Amino acid sequence: PFSLFSFQFIAFASLFFILVSITTFCLETHEAFNTIINKTEQVINGTETVLQYEIETDPALTYVEGVCVVWFTFEFLVRVVFSPNKLEFIKNLLNIIDFVAILPFYLEVGLSGLSSKAAKDVLGFLRVVRFVRILRIFKLTRHFVGLRVLGHTLRASTNEFLLLIIFLALGVLIFATMIYYAERVGAQPNDPSASEHTQFKNIPIGFWWAVVTMTTLGYGDMYPRTWSGMLVGALCALAGVLTIAMPVPVIVNNFGMYYSLAMAKQKLPRKRKKHIPPAPQASSPTFCKTDLNMACNSTQGDICLGKDNQLMEHNRSSGRTPL
């Protein structure tokens, strides 16, 4: 019971610190927790000033993040020490994410006291790499069955995702080319590039429009203005719906299968340790009976006969007569 309680406590504590760390990461970008500091410095000759501003995060958020990192470090070290296979532990993607999310904080703390230009450049790079902390959201897969099911589904549906990407790539290439030439139908003679009445100046620009249209997003930043371009746009939207609809049922079936397996595994009763009685000693009266009650195959006749003879000798020495 104590070990089960400890495991549950560590699981809830880990979940709590993951949520706190992600919340802190989001709040650090809010202007209410950032202060702009003017660090304008003058050149040595005093004739020129270099404007330099730096954003300083609220120290309270830094302390909260430090506490979270200490917990994640403790958890990571414990799992490293008690891992039976260190090589498999290192190869695990979630463990790599844990290490990459922890390391920048210690490097930033270690370099914060240095004033050299190289240290400042490294600190600037580490502040950019802070986004790695958002990867801690994947640690929730250890605590939620649904996220583990989603991960298994994505791994099992690799071929379907690859097929979907190929279909979309072909459609984007075809419809980007078609919209480029369709928009030039109404071009004026003095405007050979058709830049005055259309935004599709080249085929690569049409790639973005084709992706947005085939996925039925329709941002509206680019749209056809000629009747031929509108026809191509309608065909592109219909083709996108059909292209996405074909591989999706396979992915949904995989998710349903893994989800059913996960739910069935949770409903299974926990295995209890079976009581194995100790083997009878040679001096106990049940030793010979146990041997005689065992089924004897034809290939074990000599062994059984030897045991019968041992039983008869035992009865004679004890003054018993066999029945």
Side-chain angles (χ1 to χ4, degrees):
F2 177 75
S3 61
L4 179 61
F5 174 77
S6 301
F7 176 78
Q8 291 178 347
F9 172 77
I10 293 175
F12 280 113
S14 179
L15 178 61
F16 172 76
F17 281 108
I18 290 171
L19 297 178
V20 170
S21 176
I22 295 173
T23 303
T24 305
F25 173 76
C26 297
L27 291 178
E28 284 180 355
T29 60
H30 197 276
E31 59 273 8
F33 298 95
N34 291 319
T35 304
I36 300 177
I37 301 175
N38 187 359
K39 289 191 174 183
T40 303
E41 298 178 357
Q42 290 186 351
V43 183
I44 298 175
N45 55 16
T47 59
E48 184 180 356
T49 58
V50 179
L51 296 177
Q52 184 178 1
Y53 297 95
E54 184 177 340
I55 298 177
E56 183 178 354
T57 308
D58 192 344
L61 296 180
T62 304
Y63 294 146
V64 172
E65 177 63 20
V67 173
C68 295
V69 170
V70 170
W71 169 260
F72 292 139
T73 305
F74 169 75
E75 181 189 17
F76 184 79
L77 294 177
V78 168
R79 288 192 287 112
V80 169
V81 172
F82 292 98
S83 176
N85 192 338
K86 301 296 189 296
L87 183 60
E88 293 295 330
F89 182 87
I90 295 173
K91 292 181 179 180
N92 192 348
L93 180 60
L94 291 178
N95 297 329
I96 296 174
I97 291 175
D98 291 345
F99 180 76
V100 173
I102 292 172
L103 185 61
F105 180 82
Y106 290 106
L107 293 178
E108 187 174 349
V109 172
L111 296 174
S112 59
L114 301 178
S115 58
S116 61
K117 186 178 183 302
K120 292 182 178 179
D121 294 339
V122 174
L123 280 174
F125 174 74
L126 291 177
R127 290 191 179 96
V128 175
V129 181
R130 284 180 177 179
F131 75 92
V132 178
R133 288 185 293 170
I134 200 63
L135 298 179
R136 287 175 183 160
I137 194 70
F138 292 106
K139 296 179 62 166
L140 296 177
T141 56
R142 297 192 180 104
H143 309 286
F144 294 100
V145 179
L147 294 177
R148 290 199 296 270
V149 171
L150 180 61
H152 291 310
T153 303
L154 295 178
R155 283 196 295 268
S157 305
T158 305
N159 294 332
E160 287 74 20
F161 281 115
L162 182 61
L163 189 63
L164 178 61
I165 293 173
I166 292 175
F167 286 168
L168 284 175
L170 291 176
V172 166
L173 180 61
I174 292 172
F175 287 105
T177 305
M178 292 177 63
I179 195 67
Y180 172 75
Y181 288 104
E183 284 292 283
R184 265 141 188 79
V185 173
Q188 300 295 328
N190 57 353
D191 185 20
S193 63
S195 58
E196 293 182 359
H197 75 284
T198 182
Q199 298 173 333
F200 299 94
K201 298 179 175 61
N202 51 59
I203 293 178
I205 291 179
F207 289 162
W208 166 251
W209 171 84
V211 169
V212 172
T213 305
M214 292 189 71
T215 53
T216 66
L217 292 176
Y219 288 124
D221 54 346
M222 298 177 64
Y223 56 91
R225 299 181 182 180
T226 61
W227 64 268
S228 56
M230 294 177 184
L231 179 60
V232 172
L235 294 176
C236 181
L238 293 176
V241 172
L242 295 176
T243 300
I244 296 175
M246 285 188 287
V248 166
V250 181
I251 301 173
V252 173
N253 290 335
N254 290 337
F255 181 83
M257 179 184 65
Y258 281 108
Y259 186 78
S260 300
L261 291 175
M263 293 297 102
K265 187 176 180 180
Q266 283 190 335
K267 293 179 181 179
L268 288 176
R270 294 182 178 178
K271 294 182 179 180
R272 298 181 179 179
K273 294 183 179 179
K274 296 181 179 180
H275 176 69
I276 302 176
Q281 302 295 327
S283 59
S284 63
T286 59
F287 176 73
C288 297
K289 293 181 180 179
T290 304
D291 290 343
L292 285 176
N293 290 333
M294 296 175 61
C296 297
N297 298 328
S298 60
T299 58
Q300 298 176 345
D302 296 337
I303 300 176
C304 295
L305 183 60
K307 293 179 179 179
D308 292 340
N309 294 333
Q310 291 177 2
L311 178 60
M312 293 175 66
E313 292 294 335
H314 177 72
N315 292 334
R316 289 174 183 174
S317 61
S318 61
R320 297 178 183 178
T321 57
L323 296 178

PDB file of all heavy atoms in Angstrom, residues 11 31 80 106 112 118 123 143 148 164 194 200 214 227 278 301 305 310:
ATOM      1  N   ALA A  11       3.050  10.569  -9.406  1.00  0.00           N
ATOM      2  CA  ALA A  11       2.336  10.806 -10.657  1.00  0.00           C
ATOM      3  C   ALA A  11       1.564  12.125 -10.607  1.00  0.00           C
ATOM      4  O   ALA A  11       1.620  12.929 -11.549  1.00  0.00           O
ATOM      5  CB  ALA A  11       1.386   9.646 -10.941  1.00  0.00           C
ATOM      6  N   GLU A  31       2.624  40.747 -21.922  1.00  0.00           N
ATOM      7  CA  GLU A  31       3.292  42.027 -21.667  1.00  0.00           C
ATOM      8  C   GLU A  31       3.205  42.448 -20.210  1.00  0.00           C
ATOM      9  O   GLU A  31       4.020  43.258 -19.738  1.00  0.00           O
ATOM     10  CB  GLU A  31       2.682  43.115 -22.547  1.00  0.00           C
ATOM     11  CG  GLU A  31       1.192  43.346 -22.370  1.00  0.00           C
ATOM     12  CD  GLU A  31       0.350  42.440 -23.247  1.00  0.00           C
ATOM     13  OE1 GLU A  31       0.933  41.520 -23.876  1.00  0.00           O
ATOM     14  OE2 GLU A  31      -0.869  42.650 -23.315  1.00  0.00           O
ATOM     15  N   VAL A  80      16.566   7.499 -14.193  1.00  0.00           N
ATOM     16  CA  VAL A  80      17.839   7.001 -14.742  1.00  0.00           C
ATOM     17  C   VAL A  80      18.454   5.957 -13.825  1.00  0.00           C
ATOM     18  O   VAL A  80      18.928   4.900 -14.268  1.00  0.00           O
ATOM     19  CB  VAL A  80      18.814   8.174 -14.962  1.00  0.00           C
ATOM     20  CG1 VAL A  80      20.210   7.664 -15.274  1.00  0.00           C
ATOM     21  CG2 VAL A  80      18.344   9.054 -16.108  1.00  0.00           C
ATOM     22  N   TYR A 106      19.656  25.362 -16.852  1.00  0.00           N
ATOM     23  CA  TYR A 106      20.920  25.362 -16.113  1.00  0.00           C
ATOM     24  C   TYR A 106      21.998  26.129 -16.871  1.00  0.00           C
ATOM     25  O   TYR A 106      22.825  26.818 -16.257  1.00  0.00           O
ATOM     26  CB  TYR A 106      21.364  23.923 -15.850  1.00  0.00           C
ATOM     27  CG  TYR A 106      20.492  23.203 -14.855  1.00  0.00           C
ATOM     28  CD1 TYR A 106      19.592  22.221 -15.264  1.00  0.00           C
ATOM     29  CD2 TYR A 106      20.557  23.501 -13.500  1.00  0.00           C
ATOM     30  CE1 TYR A 106      18.789  21.562 -14.354  1.00  0.00           C
ATOM     31  CE2 TYR A 106      19.757  22.840 -12.571  1.00  0.00           C
ATOM     32  CZ  TYR A 106      18.876  21.875 -13.013  1.00  0.00           C
ATOM     33  OH  TYR A 106      18.077  21.234 -12.100  1.00  0.00           O
ATOM     34  N   SER A 112      24.416  33.500 -16.833  1.00  0.00           N
ATOM     35  CA  SER A 112      23.811  34.799 -16.544  1.00  0.00           C
ATOM     36  C   SER A 112      24.782  35.747 -15.844  1.00  0.00           C
ATOM     37  O   SER A 112      24.660  36.970 -15.960  1.00  0.00           O
ATOM     38  CB  SER A 112      22.559  34.618 -15.684  1.00  0.00           C
ATOM     39  OG  SER A 112      22.902  33.970 -14.454  1.00  0.00           O
ATOM     40  N   ALA A 118      30.417  36.791 -25.977  1.00  0.00           N
ATOM     41  CA  ALA A 118      30.072  35.415 -26.352  1.00  0.00           C
ATOM     42  C   ALA A 118      29.011  34.850 -25.420  1.00  0.00           C
ATOM     43  O   ALA A 118      28.077  34.158 -25.851  1.00  0.00           O
ATOM     44  CB  ALA A 118      31.327  34.539 -26.328  1.00  0.00           C
ATOM     45  N   LEU A 123      23.363  33.384 -24.313  1.00  0.00           N
ATOM     46  CA  LEU A 123      22.138  33.617 -23.544  1.00  0.00           C
ATOM     47  C   LEU A 123      20.970  33.985 -24.454  1.00  0.00           C
ATOM     48  O   LEU A 123      19.835  33.537 -24.251  1.00  0.00           O
ATOM     49  CB  LEU A 123      22.375  34.725 -22.523  1.00  0.00           C
ATOM     50  CG  LEU A 123      23.103  34.331 -21.232  1.00  0.00           C
ATOM     51  CD1 LEU A 123      23.383  35.561 -20.388  1.00  0.00           C
ATOM     52  CD2 LEU A 123      22.299  33.315 -20.450  1.00  0.00           C
ATOM     53  N   HIS A 143       0.478   9.681 -18.120  1.00  0.00           N
ATOM     54  CA  HIS A 143      -0.596   9.740 -17.127  1.00  0.00           C
ATOM     55  C   HIS A 143      -1.984   9.624 -17.738  1.00  0.00           C
ATOM     56  O   HIS A 143      -2.942   9.414 -16.989  1.00  0.00           O
ATOM     57  CB  HIS A 143      -0.503  11.055 -16.347  1.00  0.00           C
ATOM     58  CG  HIS A 143       0.859  11.330 -15.794  1.00  0.00           C
ATOM     59  ND1 HIS A 143       1.378  10.657 -14.704  1.00  0.00           N
ATOM     60  CD2 HIS A 143       1.837  12.201 -16.191  1.00  0.00           C
ATOM     61  CE1 HIS A 143       2.593  11.099 -14.440  1.00  0.00           C
ATOM     62  NE2 HIS A 143       2.894  12.039 -15.331  1.00  0.00           N
ATOM     63  N   ARG A 148      -1.805   8.163 -24.936  1.00  0.00           N
ATOM     64  CA  ARG A 148      -1.034   6.992 -25.383  1.00  0.00           C
ATOM     65  C   ARG A 148      -1.703   6.319 -26.565  1.00  0.00           C
ATOM     66  O   ARG A 148      -1.038   5.863 -27.503  1.00  0.00           O
ATOM     67  CB  ARG A 148      -0.869   6.008 -24.229  1.00  0.00           C
ATOM     68  CG  ARG A 148       0.063   6.499 -23.133  1.00  0.00           C
ATOM     69  CD  ARG A 148       0.533   5.338 -22.281  1.00  0.00           C
ATOM     70  NE  ARG A 148      -0.570   4.708 -21.565  1.00  0.00           N
ATOM     71  CZ  ARG A 148      -0.980   5.068 -20.359  1.00  0.00           C
ATOM     72  NH1 ARG A 148      -0.393   6.087 -19.739  1.00  0.00           N
ATOM     73  NH2 ARG A 148      -1.971   4.439 -19.768  1.00  0.00           N
ATOM     74  N   LEU A 164      -1.664  10.362 -47.580  1.00  0.00           N
ATOM     75  CA  LEU A 164      -2.389  11.639 -47.582  1.00  0.00           C
ATOM     76  C   LEU A 164      -1.491  12.782 -48.041  1.00  0.00           C
ATOM     77  O   LEU A 164      -1.908  13.646 -48.827  1.00  0.00           O
ATOM     78  CB  LEU A 164      -2.924  11.909 -46.178  1.00  0.00           C
ATOM     79  CG  LEU A 164      -3.684  13.220 -45.963  1.00  0.00           C
ATOM     80  CD1 LEU A 164      -4.917  13.280 -46.854  1.00  0.00           C
ATOM     81  CD2 LEU A 164      -4.071  13.369 -44.502  1.00  0.00           C
ATOM     82  N   ALA A 194      -0.030  39.864 -66.004  1.00  0.00           N
ATOM     83  CA  ALA A 194      -1.359  39.835 -65.367  1.00  0.00           C
ATOM     84  C   ALA A 194      -1.287  40.225 -63.901  1.00  0.00           C
ATOM     85  O   ALA A 194      -2.086  39.772 -63.085  1.00  0.00           O
ATOM     86  CB  ALA A 194      -1.993  38.461 -65.527  1.00  0.00           C
ATOM     87  N   PHE A 200      -1.890  35.808 -58.566  1.00  0.00           N
ATOM     88  CA  PHE A 200      -1.148  34.592 -58.913  1.00  0.00           C
ATOM     89  C   PHE A 200      -0.079  34.949 -59.948  1.00  0.00           C
ATOM     90  O   PHE A 200      -0.236  34.687 -61.137  1.00  0.00           O
ATOM     91  CB  PHE A 200      -2.104  33.524 -59.445  1.00  0.00           C
ATOM     92  CG  PHE A 200      -3.150  33.122 -58.445  1.00  0.00           C
ATOM     93  CD1 PHE A 200      -4.406  33.737 -58.453  1.00  0.00           C
ATOM     94  CD2 PHE A 200      -2.897  32.160 -57.491  1.00  0.00           C
ATOM     95  CE1 PHE A 200      -5.375  33.384 -57.535  1.00  0.00           C
ATOM     96  CE2 PHE A 200      -3.861  31.794 -56.568  1.00  0.00           C
ATOM     97  CZ  PHE A 200      -5.101  32.411 -56.592  1.00  0.00           C
ATOM     98  N   MET A 214      -7.567  23.263 -50.744  1.00  0.00           N
ATOM     99  CA  MET A 214      -7.795  21.824 -50.650  1.00  0.00           C
ATOM    100  C   MET A 214      -8.109  21.390 -49.229  1.00  0.00           C
ATOM    101  O   MET A 214      -8.833  20.403 -49.033  1.00  0.00           O
ATOM    102  CB  MET A 214      -6.574  21.065 -51.173  1.00  0.00           C
ATOM    103  CG  MET A 214      -6.347  21.209 -52.668  1.00  0.00           C
ATOM    104  SD  MET A 214      -5.076  20.096 -53.298  1.00  0.00           S
ATOM    105  CE  MET A 214      -5.905  18.520 -53.169  1.00  0.00           C
ATOM    106  N   TRP A 227     -13.436  34.060 -64.513  1.00  0.00           N
ATOM    107  CA  TRP A 227     -14.370  32.936 -64.504  1.00  0.00           C
ATOM    108  C   TRP A 227     -13.630  31.603 -64.619  1.00  0.00           C
ATOM    109  O   TRP A 227     -14.018  30.603 -63.998  1.00  0.00           O
ATOM    110  CB  TRP A 227     -15.376  33.091 -65.646  1.00  0.00           C
ATOM    111  CG  TRP A 227     -14.749  33.024 -67.020  1.00  0.00           C
ATOM    112  CD1 TRP A 227     -14.296  34.074 -67.760  1.00  0.00           C
ATOM    113  CD2 TRP A 227     -14.509  31.833 -67.774  1.00  0.00           C
ATOM    114  NE1 TRP A 227     -13.779  33.631 -68.953  1.00  0.00           N
ATOM    115  CE2 TRP A 227     -13.902  32.248 -68.988  1.00  0.00           C
ATOM    116  CE3 TRP A 227     -14.745  30.485 -67.563  1.00  0.00           C
ATOM    117  CZ2 TRP A 227     -13.519  31.341 -69.969  1.00  0.00           C
ATOM    118  CZ3 TRP A 227     -14.379  29.577 -68.547  1.00  0.00           C
ATOM    119  CH2 TRP A 227     -13.769  30.015 -69.742  1.00  0.00           C
ATOM    120  N   PRO A 278       4.962 -25.207  -0.425  1.00  0.00           N
ATOM    121  CA  PRO A 278       6.355 -25.691  -0.438  1.00  0.00           C
ATOM    122  C   PRO A 278       6.419 -27.155  -0.811  1.00  0.00           C
ATOM    123  O   PRO A 278       5.507 -27.942  -0.547  1.00  0.00           O
ATOM    124  CB  PRO A 278       6.820 -25.438   0.997  1.00  0.00           C
ATOM    125  CG  PRO A 278       5.555 -25.422   1.807  1.00  0.00           C
ATOM    126  CD  PRO A 278       4.510 -24.848   0.918  1.00  0.00           C
ATOM    127  N   GLY A 301       8.197 -45.028 -17.279  1.00  0.00           N
ATOM    128  CA  GLY A 301       7.844 -46.245 -16.542  1.00  0.00           C
ATOM    129  C   GLY A 301       8.921 -46.662 -15.571  1.00  0.00           C
ATOM    130  O   GLY A 301       8.648 -47.069 -14.443  1.00  0.00           O
ATOM    131  N   LEU A 305       8.546 -47.025 -11.556  1.00  0.00           N
ATOM    132  CA  LEU A 305       8.807 -48.312 -10.928  1.00  0.00           C
ATOM    133  C   LEU A 305       9.829 -48.173  -9.816  1.00  0.00           C
ATOM    134  O   LEU A 305       9.703 -48.782  -8.752  1.00  0.00           O
ATOM    135  CB  LEU A 305       9.309 -49.307 -11.992  1.00  0.00           C
ATOM    136  CG  LEU A 305       9.574 -50.746 -11.502  1.00  0.00           C
ATOM    137  CD1 LEU A 305       8.272 -51.349 -10.939  1.00  0.00           C
ATOM    138  CD2 LEU A 305      10.120 -51.605 -12.635  1.00  0.00           C
ATOM    139  N   GLN A 310      10.938 -47.888  -3.917  1.00  0.00           N
ATOM    140  CA  GLN A 310      11.338 -47.099  -2.754  1.00  0.00           C
ATOM    141  C   GLN A 310      10.228 -47.069  -1.724  1.00  0.00           C
ATOM    142  O   GLN A 310      10.466 -47.117  -0.513  1.00  0.00           O
ATOM    143  CB  GLN A 310      11.703 -45.678  -3.195  1.00  0.00           C
ATOM    144  CG  GLN A 310      12.978 -45.603  -4.023  1.00  0.00           C
ATOM    145  CD  GLN A 310      13.262 -44.193  -4.485  1.00  0.00           C
ATOM    146  OE1 GLN A 310      12.503 -43.276  -4.133  1.00  0.00           O
ATOM    147  NE2 GLN A 310      14.325 -44.031  -5.267  1.00  0.00           N
TER     148      GLN A 310
END
